[in-house]
Amino acid sequence: MRRGHGRRGIGKTTVARLLAQRLGVPFADGDDYHSPADIAKMSAGTPLDDADRRPWLQSVGRWLHEHDVAGTGAVVACSALKRRYRDTLQAACPRAFFLHLTADRDVLADRLRRRHGHFMPGSLLDSQLATLEPLEPDERGAELNATPTPHTLADLATDLLARQL
C-alpha cells in the first residue's frame, strides 16, 4: 500500500518498481489504469481534469485495496497530484503511505526531454506543477528529493518505510 507520486518525469515508475522489488511486493504502474480516452487526451497535450481522473483513481484504489485485504502489500506509481486524489486512494486503502518525489522544474523538464515512448508530452509539465498540492502534515507520507539515482532513492525509501510503518 505504498505508492510513488507525480507524473512529471521525476522517475516515479522506476523508483516504485525498484522499491517493490526490495520489499518483495506486487508493483503496478498507475498509467496502466488510464482509459484510452484519458491517454488520447494527454497525448494531444490536454491535461486531465478531476472528472477524468475520478474513475482512474478509483481503479488504482481498488488495486491497492485488493492487495491490502490479501495482506501482500503493494507499490503503485501514481500521479495523485491533489490532496483530494490522495484522499480517494486513502479511502480505498487506509494504510497507504504516500511517497512524494520532488525536483526542480529544470530537472524535470530535462528528464522529460530525454524520455521517449510515453504518452504524456513535456508540454504538460507546467500544468502538472500548477496542479500539484504537496503532502500536508496530516497525510501519511514523506517527500524525497529525486536527484539521486533511482537505486539510491529506492534504498532511501526502503529505509524510510521501515521507520514509518
Side-chain angles (χ1 to χ4, degrees):
M1 296 79 41
R2 299 150 187 110
R3 55 162 210 75
H5 175 71
R7 180 190 336 193
R8 300 172 315 274
I10 195 127
K12 75 177 182 318
T13 301
T14 302
V15 172
R17 191 180 313 277
L18 291 168
L19 179 59
Q21 290 170 354
R22 282 165 175 69
L23 298 174
V25 300
F27 166 78
D29 186 340
D31 287 345
D32 294 339
Y33 291 83
H34 279 295
S35 70
D38 286 351
I39 291 171
K41 189 172 184 177
M42 287 184 283
S43 295
T46 304
L48 299 180
D49 60 26
D50 288 354
D52 296 323
R53 289 180 184 271
R54 188 173 303 110
W56 169 70
L57 288 163
Q58 290 168 340
S59 294
V60 172
R62 277 192 298 279
W63 187 85
L64 284 170
H65 176 78
E66 290 167 5
H67 286 84
D68 188 33
V69 169
T72 62
V75 174
V76 60
C78 174
S79 301
L81 300 173
K82 291 184 180 182
R83 170 68 187 254
R84 77 183 88 170
Y85 303 165
R86 296 186 296 271
D87 288 346
T88 297
L89 296 172
Q90 196 88 54
C93 184
R95 295 181 340 118
F97 185 89
F98 300 97
L99 182 60
H100 177 181
L101 300 179
T102 64
D104 292 335
R105 186 200 180 285
D106 291 343
V107 170
L108 297 172
D110 182 58
R111 289 180 182 180
L112 286 172
R113 275 191 296 278
R114 291 185 281 128
R115 181 170 73 175
H116 301 286
H118 194 278
F119 58 81
M120 193 198 88
S123 62
L124 290 180
L125 174 60
D126 289 329
S127 72
Q128 295 275 293
L129 292 172
T131 301
L132 178 64
E133 296 173 0
L135 291 173
E136 295 181 26
D138 65 329
E139 289 184 270
R140 191 164 184 242
E143 289 186 4
L144 279 180
N145 183 299
T147 358
T149 68
H151 287 279
T152 299
L153 286 169
D155 290 341
L156 291 169
T158 301
D159 292 344
L160 175 69
L161 288 168
R163 290 191 310 269
Q164 298 293 320
L165 302 176

